[in-house]
Amino acid sequence: MTNDPEPQESPPDLEILAAGIEAILFTSSEPVSLERLHQSLPAWEPERIQTALDLLDEQFQAPSRGLSLHHVAGGWQLRTKAVFSELLQRFHRKVRRVRLSMPALETLSIIAYVQPVSTPEIEAIRGVSVQQTIRGLIDKELVKIVGRKEAPGRPMMYGTTEKFLELFGLPNLGTLPSIPELDKWKKEYRSGSPELALVQDGAVKT
Amino acid sequence: MTSVGTIGRPAEGAGTSVAFSQEPEFRVRLEVFEGPLDLLLFLIRKNELQITEVALARVTSQYLGFIGLFQALRLSLASEYLFLASTLVELKSRLLLPRSPRGGEESDLESASAELIRRLQEHQSLKLAAMHLASLQEVAESCWVRPRRSDFETTDTILELGVLELCFALEQAFRSCSPPRQLEIGLREWSVAEKLSELGRLLKRSPRFDLTALMARSPSAGAAVAIFLAALELVRVVATVRLLQGSTFGPIMIVSEEA
């Protein structure tokens, strides 16, 4: 045995940690929070786990990898790269889809942006009854009751769920763009996609 | 509009299926227009206008046209549509008429139009936010995740059972649980003899008292009946005991005239 002058230290250690995290994420269908990773890997500091996650993220960006690491709903999740969507559809003969109608999306937007918000407040903005729509959103576990408003009739207050963040690929609610940002997004999006015109005319598939 | 069934654009499909329908309960849900604000915004956008007072005036007749169409199609029209129509007509008439020198009424209308414009802008932002969510969803959908159903089941046992098995299991469960504990409520018998001696005792203490009050105080109807029968028996047997009632349904007094 030769004595290596350079002691073998953290890099392999970090790689093993990254591999362990990959194994956890591979077997989890839901986003896994840093906290939960730390619970299962108590020997490593959360910062160290984060470093390993960053390493994984970097490695997954290689063109030879079909997955990528996503920060959604306050956790980490492995998702296939978007470019393989059609390939997967062809292979599985399935479409991954939770189609929401435009009315449902509008109601969901109000709840996402204004939460906690009550039915009368949503109806004041949308100008139509939304009771039915809210029920549908609750059934899909995108919206939940978060309390009652201290107002006449004590109406229910609604908020979005973790599943909402997951479905829309959002790390947290703070990442929803503000209204001015939305205007900017619209301009960029419109220049890039002729589909927006369709969406705007209400011809979006519902 | 809140209703059932679906059609695409109101101008087409709706006409053929609805116009001559005699069924008053036939209702149509318009996918395109979700409420009056939505319709108004659609008209403004279709005419490539900005959300301004002038734009509102310009689309007023189109808006009214749609209301007329809806009514011709016998679509149940939410009152908000009509309310918005009246606001629009009022705003338009104000723009067309020469401005009155007095400010009072106008400021009301002005605030109404400002409010309408604010709501339209809000509605537009909302549409934008919804579109943004739709685009996020589209992106998120093209990234597949591990399906939730896993081959690695937890320790929970999952049985595949049909209705019959479930019914059988239910029956077993009912059978296996101990039968409901039977509460035995002993029937307290009230004997007339017992009440007879009680009445005798009471009469000895006070030769005249209210029998009805005594019956009312008794613990059960049975006891009350026993008291009454005992009183009748007493009257029959003992010559000096009488029952007196001052008026119909009045209190019955029992009197012993022994002294």
Side-chain angles (χ1 to χ4, degrees):
Chain A
M1 281 228 161
T2 53
N3 263 347
D4 203 326
E6 306 239 319
Q8 291 264 325
E9 43 151 25
S10 41
D13 187 37
L14 186 68
E15 297 211 332
I16 288 167
L17 176 59
I21 293 171
E22 183 182 7
I24 292 175
L25 296 182
F26 169 74
T27 50
S28 302
S29 52
E30 276 159 44
V32 182
S33 67
L34 192 60
E35 240 171 37
R36 279 203 58 205
L37 286 174
H38 181 53
Q39 276 169 16
S40 310
L41 300 160
W44 283 273
E45 293 296 308
E47 295 77 34
R48 198 97 179 106
I49 294 174
Q50 184 58 60
T51 313
L53 280 166
D54 293 342
L55 178 68
L56 271 183
D57 186 22
E58 197 188 307
Q59 289 175 345
F60 275 123
Q61 278 169 23
S64 60
R65 309 299 296 265
L67 300 176
S68 57
L69 189 62
H70 286 251
H71 187 29
V72 281
W76 299 87
Q77 190 175 37
L78 290 179
R79 295 185 170 192
T80 63
K81 286 181 179 168
V83 283
F84 299 119
S85 170
E86 272 180 42
L87 171 67
L88 292 171
Q89 281 179 28
R90 205 160 56 231
F91 179 79
H92 292 288
R93 293 163 190 268
K94 273 181 191 153
V95 187
R96 192 178 159 244
R97 190 151 287 178
V98 185
R99 259 301 167 210
L100 292 173
S101 66
M102 217 46 194
L105 278 169
E106 285 181 20
T107 302
L108 188 57
S109 302
I110 298 173
I111 295 173
Y113 276 85
V114 194
Q115 61 183 307
V117 63
S118 67
T119 309
E121 291 168 301
I122 301 171
E123 288 178 346
I125 299 175
R126 285 213 51 221
V128 286
S129 165
V130 294
Q131 203 60 56
Q132 220 40 42
T133 317
I134 290 180
R135 202 160 302 146
L137 291 172
I138 289 176
D139 284 347
K140 291 195 172 74
E141 295 172 44
L142 299 176
V143 160
K144 63 182 177 200
I145 296 165
V146 292
R148 280 180 179 276
K149 194 179 171 67
E150 290 302 331
R154 309 236 311 134
M156 303 274 201
M157 306 267 280
Y158 299 97
T160 51
T161 60
E162 295 275 297
K163 199 173 167 201
F164 161 76
L165 294 173
E166 215 187 306
L167 183 66
F168 292 92
L170 295 163
N172 50 57
L173 284 173
T175 44
L176 277 174
S178 65
I179 301 300
E181 281 167 353
L182 274 176
D183 280 326
K184 215 177 116 203
W185 165 82
K186 178 181 158 191
K187 288 193 187 88
E188 285 166 10
Y189 192 70
R190 178 180 265 168
S191 61
S193 143
E195 284 160 298
L196 186 69
L198 284 176
V199 177
Q200 277 192 310
D201 286 348
V204 68
K205 300 153 275 186
T206 51
Chain B
M1 318 199 64
T2 52
S3 27
V4 212
T6 49
I7 56 165
R9 297 283 170 142
E12 326 153 0
T16 52
S17 54
V18 189
F20 303 106
S21 167
Q22 294 301 308
E23 307 277 309
E25 68 268 32
F26 189 95
R27 302 228 212 119
V28 171
R29 175 189 169 84
L30 298 174
E31 287 290 352
V32 183
F33 304 122
E34 279 278 321
L37 280 177
D38 213 39
L39 171 57
L40 192 54
L41 198 59
F42 169 80
L43 291 174
I44 291 173
R45 244 183 353 221
K46 198 168 141 259
N47 289 278
E48 294 175 347
L49 298 168
Q50 297 293 311
I51 302 174
T52 59
E53 221 169 82
V54 178
L56 291 180
R58 279 188 55 187
V59 299
T60 294
S61 59
Q62 291 175 32
Y63 182 89
L64 294 178
F66 268 101
I67 298 286
L69 177 69
F70 289 163
Q71 282 170 340
L73 296 178
R74 300 184 187 197
L75 303 183
S76 69
L77 206 55
S79 56
E80 304 94 70
Y81 278 88
L82 299 176
F83 181 74
L84 184 56
S86 73
T87 311
L88 284 175
V89 170
E90 206 173 357
L91 289 177
K92 185 173 185 178
S93 68
R94 183 168 64 96
L95 282 180
L96 293 178
L97 292 172
R99 288 193 169 252
S100 109
R102 294 169 301 131
E105 280 176 40
E106 290 217 11
S107 67
D108 259 12
L109 257 177
E110 245 154 49
S111 69
S113 86
E115 167 70 7
L116 184 54
I117 286 172
R118 186 194 66 74
R119 288 189 65 194
L120 277 172
Q121 281 165 345
E122 188 179 60
H123 205 75
Q124 185 166 259
S125 298
L126 166 64
K127 295 232 139 219
L128 201 53
M131 270 183 259
H132 177 251
L133 278 189
S135 79
L136 284 184
Q137 196 193 354
E138 212 164 293
V139 173
E141 263 170 5
S142 53
C143 300
W144 293 45
V145 294
R146 171 165 288 280
R148 276 173 208 273
R149 193 171 50 79
S150 165
D151 293 333
F152 306 97
E153 290 299 347
T154 52
T155 45
D156 300 340
T157 323
I158 292 179
L159 300 171
E160 299 218 348
L161 296 173
V163 176
L164 284 177
E165 284 97 331
L166 285 174
C167 286
F168 182 72
L170 184 65
E171 200 207 337
Q172 292 279 305
F174 275 148
R175 201 170 287 171
S176 68
C177 64
S178 51
R181 200 161 61 90
Q182 278 185 352
L183 256 186
E184 296 226 3
I185 301 171
L187 188 62
R188 176 77 167 87
E189 306 259 359
W190 307 95
S191 72
V192 176
E194 191 185 316
K195 290 294 168 192
L196 260 177
S197 57
E198 187 185 337
L199 282 180
R201 267 200 317 278
L202 289 170
L203 280 174
K204 222 163 262 170
R205 214 184 303 158
S206 68
R208 179 193 178 93
F209 64 89
D210 190 340
L211 186 70
T212 9
L214 180 69
M215 285 164 68
R217 276 202 305 276
S218 61
S220 72
V225 169
I227 292 171
F228 190 69
L229 289 178
L232 292 180
E233 186 68 8
L234 212 57
V235 171
R236 192 175 67 84
V237 177
V238 186
T240 52
V241 173
R242 287 193 301 146
L243 289 175
L244 300 173
Q245 189 174 29
S247 60
T248 317
F249 302 124
I252 300 168
M253 308 298 290
I254 183 163
V255 184
S256 163
E257 291 163 338
E258 216 166 287

